Structure formats: C-alpha cells, structure tokens
Amino acid sequence: MRRTPLLFLAVCILAACGNNHQPTATTDSIPNREWWKEAVVYQLYPRSFKDGDGDGVGDLKGILSKLDYLKSLGIDVVWLNPIYSSPNDDNGYDISDYRNIMKEFGTMEDFDRLLKEMHQRNIKLVMDLVVNHSSDEHSWFKQSRSSRNNPFRNYYHWWNAERGKPTPRWSFFDVNSDAWKYDSLTNSYYLHYFSRKQPDLNWENPQVRQEVYNIMKFWLDKGIDGFRMDAFQFVAKDTTWPAFPPGYDRNIIKYYGMGPHLHEYLQEMNREVASKYKMMTVAEGAGSTLQDAMDLVDPDRHELNMAYHFEGMDVGHFDPNYSLPEFKNVYSKWDSAFAQKGWVSIFLGNHDQPRMVSHWGNDSPAFRELSSKMLTTFIMTMRGTPYYYNGDELGMVNIKFSTIGDYRDIATINSYQHLKATGGDTAAFLQANKRSSRDNGRTPFQWDSSANAGFTTGTPWLKINPDYTTVNAAAEENDPNSVLNYFRKVVKLRKENLVLVYGGYTVLDRDNPDVYAYTRELNGRQLLVLLNFKGKIAAVKTGADLSHAKILLGNYPDPSTDGNLKPYEAVIYALE
Ligand code: NOJ
C-alpha cells in the first residue's frame, strides 16, 4: 500500500484541508433542508458560565461579556438552561414566574440586550421551557393549594386524603422517592415527579395548556428562536392513576413517558404556537421505543422538530469498561430509524450528565486532550443536530467530589439522604457519584488561570475543578493544537460539508471492540471517520484505500493512513 507522504499530510492539516472544499454542485437536490438540521447547538449552563457581578453565580451580564467567545466557536445556536425567576431548588428547573428573570441572573433589560447582541452576531437563542411542573412558589400553586375551591385548584394534580392514599408514584428527587406529598392545608396530596418544590402541572386542564402557549408566545414575540422542552414526555398523565407493576420505577420512561393525549397536546401546541413562528422545538426524552420517538418528530404529524434520546447515555454510565460495539449499536440503530424521515440530536454531555471525556474518553493527563478531540469528532460527524455542552470544548473533566458536603445537586443530595436513612452503602454511593453525578458537569467554566478560573471574583457556588490552572480557555486560545481550537476546526468542517449533516451513514467493522468507523455519503461524495476509543494502538478494517484518501482533519499531527490508529486517534478522510 502506498503511504501518503507525511509532509503532504502535515501541509494538508495546517491548511485546514476540506475547509476550502467546493460545496457539491448538487446541494440543491438535498431534500428537506432546514436551518435547525444544519445548526450546531451550544448548550450554555448560565449558573456556571461567567459571573458578571461577583456573587459567585454566573449571570446574563457574564454571558454578555463572552459573546465574542461564543461567536469565535462557530456555533449557530445557544440553548440556554432556565433563567426565569426561581427559588432554585433544582437550579432554575423550578420556576416561580415564567415571564421574569431570576434575580441572581439579572434583569429583563439584560435579557433583551443579550438576545439583540446574539442576533447581531448571527447566533440564535433557544430557551428551556419547563412546564411539566412549576415551582411551589409560583402564584398558580399558591392559589391552588389555598383551598379546594380555588379556580387554580385544577392547575395541579390533587388527591383528597379522605379517599385514602393515592396510588403510589415514584419521584426522581424526593428523599422518600414518593411523588405524592401530603398538604395539611386542604387535607390532600399533590403530585411531584421531581422535588416537593416542583409540583406537576395538570396538562389535562385546557387552561394550563393555554397558559403555556401564552408563555411561549411572550418569549417568541421577543424574538427567541425556539424551545428545548424539559421533561416533556411526562406532561400527559392518566389521571385515573392506575397501579403500576412492582419494579416499574426501574423502567420509569415506559410508565411515565408518552402518556395519553400527549400527541394531541403537541399538535395543539404546534397549531397555536410553533406553526406561527420561525422556530425550532426539541423535547427532552423521546419515549421508550423508536416508534415513540418517530411519532414525536415525523414531519407529517406536525409535532416537534427533533428527538433528543438518552439511550446512548446509559452506555458506560457506571462502567468505564463499557462495550464500544454496544455504543455503536445504539447510534447506528437510531440513525437507521430516522434515515428516511424525522430528525435526531447528537450529544455526549449536558448539565444532567458527567463530563463526556470522563464518561467515554480518558480524563488522565496523558489522554484527556486526545480523547476529548476524538469524542468531539464523533459528535460533529454524525447525522443529527449536534448539541455541544459548554466546557467540553476545553476538555473539562469530572471533579469527583469525595464528600457529600461538596455537592449542590438536589438529585445527588437527596439520593444520599435516602440511602443513609435506609441503611444503604453511602461510601459506595459517593464512589459511584465521582463518575455519574450531575455536579461533575456543572462546575464553573474555566476561563483562565487566575483566581477562581476567572469565573468569579466572589465565592463560586460550586467548587471549581483544581485543574483550571492548566485546563482553561485562555491557555487553549494560544495553543493551535488545543482541544478548543480543534473544536473550532471540526465545527467549521461540518458547516462547510453538508455531507456531514445530511449524508447517509454506514457503520464499518461493527464488532471491532476498539474502533468506531463509519462513512457519510452524499451525492457521490464519501467521507470516512475513524475513531479509536481506546488508549492503545488499534487496527480497523474498512476496505478503503486510505493511502489515496485526503485527510480533512485529525487529532494527531501525523494522521494514520494504514488502518492502525494511535491511542484515541480520530481522523476524517475524504475518499476519492
Ligand atoms: C430535566 C432537566 O434537564 C433537569 O436538570 C431537571 O432536574 C429535570 N428535568 C426537572 O426539571
């Protein structure tokens, strides 16, 4: 096999080969093109991004001061986690006023300026819509609980205690895992799938749905570009409250997800809101089957734009020695289910997950950068809209707290308390949470090597990862080979090669335990992506003659061309 001269490869990479690629003459023939399919979404967790006023909590002024950074990434859309008024039982996912800004985050003037300045930079803004539940401090709930006859009573799910105890429902965040909370004021129980301070809204009440549509219009009329809909698969409920079989809580999506009338509600929302604006919609979760997901996003049904499924998150959640073929099977299965119609999201991190490099890569100093770049290559070369979580572009890693006192996340804290109260193994719990806790993904963004990583001049609300002295944006900015600059290159490559957005996907050497290999093909143009998921040299059989392939990008200065990949190597080739 003829080897491509290394000098050629080096020149090719320095010149960012592929970035000057002529768009295929036939892009007009791509059916069903949409801006939200071609966009790269950057998820911004405001509490941890940048503190503008020194109180230790990220805020809108902080984001405003970093808009040029966001622009420099090449991303198209920012998904902003909730910034609405909230007592912060669950970091903003407990909203007490949907038309106001959380005090810690700033004012509506700050928001208006943020939106305007993002749009000036051609960055779209997608907001979180959290309407499975509100805060118990929302005026609706205060009214609702005040008496059984209050006009807002039916905004939530109540069960009168004289009927006995309601059918058990499991709660994600409750210390007793009980989703029914007794309220002596009206001698009734209310439902809360999440914390006690997050009572579930009653979507079966048409007034509630109208309230939600009006809230959506309020923000859309300001000019925002879409919604990520929190816990949306749970909103519809069977209010006859049937009993679920023992162990249902181990398969909660099956029992809580895709309740009766969900599709009617989504179609109503689409008619009343989405169809009237140029916007994108993505719901968190996609049911428990591929058909569930398709039913949400089949364009003929007029519900949502794209599915955001979690099946990939389960692979290796607790196990660093997860099976790569299992990982490949999940993504290959989802790709083929949506190859003809519908659309999915591709992500490896968000604010509910540990850091992607600690989960699927290798966060040791030797391999952190290489494996971060490799995972970034995966996200940016799959079919589906990439959702990239802030901080992953620096290769941020899990903080791995040792004591419960360091955690701030209600999910981790309440599970720990539950375990302690029931005599469980708290030491094992703490060990497991070094890998899986949500706080691993929430530590403040590492801007530079100054005190508190340049995140705040105050005391940060959550400890900062001590590796910030070397892992930070300022240091990476100055290093052409940094994770940050690699991210920019691969985003640019995706934007300039529609084959990476729309091209057909074919997995190769599927059972290979170390390497993920696939092609993307569109109108005769074929790209090959090779990703070594292991910290050792690994061989892959693709059948392609790589010696003639053009290298578009790689995470080593001398990308492999003989099918033997270096540890955590990632290469994107254009096959002639
Ligand atoms: C999903 C959100 O992503 C998570 O952060 C939150 O705790 C729950 N929904 C409840 O809103």
Side-chain angles (χ1 to χ4, degrees):
M1 192 189 285
R2 190 172 64 84
R3 291 179 71 94
T4 308
L6 286 183
L7 181 63
F8 166 75
L9 294 179
V11 170
C12 189
I13 291 196
L14 287 174
C17 294
N19 294 349
N20 55 2
H21 168 74
Q22 299 294 311
T24 47
T26 46
T27 48
D28 289 350
S29 64
I30 301 169
N32 307 318
R33 286 185 66 176
E34 300 283 357
W35 68 266
W36 41 265
K37 293 180 180 171
E38 294 173 23
V40 173
V41 180
Y42 181 82
Q43 185 194 341
L44 194 157
Y45 195 64
R47 201 169 186 78
S48 298
F49 193 64
K50 172 70 185 166
D51 177 13
D53 63 5
D55 66 355
V57 173
D59 50 35
L60 301 187
K61 283 209 166 68
I63 302 172
L64 269 159
S65 70
K66 294 294 182 187
L67 288 182
D68 289 338
Y69 171 80
L70 294 179
K71 181 69 192 164
S72 79
L73 297 177
I75 51 102
D76 309 280
V77 176
V78 164
W79 153 26
L80 197 56
N81 288 100
I83 55 164
Y84 316 97
S85 302
S86 166
N88 275 313
D89 193 47
D90 182 23
N91 289 3
Y93 281 94
D94 47 319
I95 296 169
S96 51
D97 183 350
Y98 289 93
R99 289 182 176 80
N100 250 312
I101 304 294
M102 189 190 301
K103 283 204 175 55
E104 283 173 312
F105 285 177
T107 63
M108 194 58 90
E109 287 71 49
D110 295 333
F111 173 82
D112 292 339
R113 206 179 123 209
L114 181 68
L115 180 61
K116 190 167 149 227
E117 293 206 15
M118 281 174 115
H119 282 170
Q120 278 168 356
R121 289 168 175 81
N122 261 329
I123 299 174
K124 293 187 161 59
L125 178 61
V126 165
M127 305 264 286
D128 230 301
L129 181 70
V130 188
V131 287
N132 172 69
H133 44 269
S134 72
S135 162
D136 66 340
E137 297 184 32
H138 194 291
S139 62
W140 297 335
F141 189 74
K142 288 185 187 162
Q143 296 260 4
S144 185
R145 76 180 283 253
S146 65
S147 92
R148 288 188 179 184
N149 302 325
N150 187 280
F152 287 88
R153 185 68 168 180
N154 206 19
Y155 270 43
Y156 296 87
H157 296 285
W158 290 99
W159 178 275
N160 295 342
E162 62 272 19
R163 298 170 68 193
K165 282 200 148 189
T167 329
R169 287 290 181 267
W170 179 85
S171 162
F172 287 92
F173 297 160
D174 190 80
V175 269
N176 300 327
S177 308
D178 183 354
W180 290 106
K181 168 89 173 77
Y182 179 71
D183 192 25
S184 59
L185 199 62
T186 55
N187 188 33
S188 310
Y189 297 86
Y190 67 85
L191 184 77
H192 63 93
Y193 277 179
F194 294 90
S195 89
R196 293 173 187 181
K197 288 184 67 60
Q198 293 170 297
D200 282 45
L201 283 158
N202 178 9
W203 272 71
E204 284 57 55
N205 177 353
Q207 270 174 285
V208 167
R209 304 202 296 276
Q210 285 307 321
E211 297 270 17
V212 171
Y213 306 151
N214 290 336
I215 291 165
M216 293 173 80
K217 287 179 194 161
F218 172 84
W219 292 98
L220 287 163
D221 288 339
K222 278 184 175 284
I224 70 156
D225 303 283
F227 286 108
R228 174 266 186 188
M229 292 151 58
D230 183 70
F232 206 81
Q233 58 182 340
F234 301 147
V235 300
K237 288 159 181 111
D238 180 348
T239 53
T240 64
W241 308 115
F244 294 147
Y248 73 93
D249 52 311
R250 288 195 294 277
N251 197 357
I252 207 69
I253 307 294
K254 178 168 170 209
Y255 291 94
Y256 281 14
M258 315 299 288
H261 310 297
L262 179 71
H263 294 293
E264 286 158 50
Y265 302 159
L266 278 170
Q267 285 165 14
E268 183 182 76
M269 178 187 279
N270 192 295
R271 268 194 315 278
E272 300 220 5
V273 187
S275 60
K276 298 187 174 145
Y277 295 85
K278 183 174 178 288
M279 64 177 291
M280 59 164 262
T281 47
V282 55
E284 186 200 22
S288 43
T289 65
L290 291 170
Q291 190 59 48
D292 283 347
M294 179 56 86
D295 287 347
L296 293 171
V297 299
D298 178 343
D300 297 332
R301 294 172 59 94
H302 303 288
E303 297 187 18
L304 298 169
N305 293 140
M306 61 184 124
Y308 187 98
H309 75 85
F310 284 97
E311 202 174 334
M313 296 298 108
D314 295 341
V315 182
H317 196 65
F318 294 106
D319 179 11
N321 301 313
Y322 67 93
S323 144
L324 181 63
E326 189 188 339
F327 184 92
K328 295 184 212 180
N329 284 341
V330 168
Y331 288 97
S332 303
K333 179 181 83 178
W334 278 85
D335 183 85
S336 59
F338 291 83
Q340 302 308 324
K341 62 175 177 175
W343 196 252
V344 295
S345 320
I346 299 288
F347 65 98
L348 291 179
N350 66 35
H351 64 293
D352 293 331
Q353 301 294 331
R355 283 288 169 188
M356 72 171 183
V357 65
S358 301
H359 188 163
W360 292 283
N362 184 328
D363 61 12
S364 71
F367 291 127
R368 181 189 64 82
E369 292 182 78
L370 282 166
S371 62
S372 291
K373 292 175 186 173
M374 184 276 290
L375 294 168
T376 296
T377 312
F378 169 74
I379 299 174
M380 293 299 159
T381 56
M382 287 293 284
R383 180 159 49 183
T385 299
Y387 284 70
Y388 199 86
Y389 185 55
N390 62 189
D392 284 344
E393 78 273 27
L394 306 180
M396 283 178 63
V397 305
N398 282 3
I399 192 161
K400 303 178 185 166
F401 289 134
S402 301
T403 59
I404 192 67
D406 282 335
Y407 284 100
R408 297 289 171 270
D409 174 24
I410 185 171
T412 307
I413 294 170
N414 284 4
S415 301
Y416 179 90
Q417 280 172 4
H418 178 68
L419 206 64
K420 203 168 161 200
T422 53
D425 185 346
T426 51
F429 175 89
L430 286 175
Q431 191 55 33
N433 272 271
K434 288 183 182 178
R435 181 164 178 82
S436 62
S437 171
R438 309 196 293 183
D439 273 346
N440 283 305
R442 296 179 175 183
T443 60
F445 195 95
Q446 297 165 201
W447 289 105
D448 56 42
S449 59
S450 69
N452 294 323
F455 163 69
T456 181
T457 52
T459 307
W461 71 276
L462 180 66
K463 278 191 179 162
I464 293 175
N465 196 314
D467 72 2
Y468 79 86
T469 49
T470 49
V471 180
N472 64 66
E476 296 197 28
E477 196 68 60
N478 297 325
D479 173 2
N481 296 318
S482 64
V483 182
L484 174 60
N485 283 316
Y486 185 87
F487 173 70
R488 289 177 172 136
K489 280 182 213 159
V490 72
V491 168
K492 190 161 187 279
L493 192 73
R494 183 176 179 94
K495 308 281 313 162
E496 291 177 350
N497 289 275
L498 282 179
V499 56
L500 289 174
V501 177
Y502 294 107
Y505 156 96
T506 307
V507 63
L508 309 173
D509 202 3
R510 186 188 274 259
D511 297 328
N512 188 315
D514 307 320
V515 178
Y516 196 165
Y518 49 92
T519 55
R520 303 292 315 277
E521 190 165 3
L522 183 72
N523 297 335
R525 182 148 195 264
Q526 195 179 36
L527 304 190
L528 171 69
V529 182
L530 299 185
L531 307 169
N532 182 359
F533 272 67
K534 299 288 165 65
K536 60 176 188 189
I537 292 173
V540 60
K541 291 196 192 71
T542 63
D545 178 3
L546 298 182
S547 63
H548 291 294
K550 180 171 166 188
I551 293 180
L552 301 186
L553 193 64
N555 64 350
Y556 276 84
D558 53 342
S560 299
T561 54
D562 62 357
N564 289 307
L565 297 177
K566 295 179 269 294
Y568 296 108
E569 181 163 14
V571 196
I572 309 173
Y573 309 85
L575 301 179
E576 301 306 328

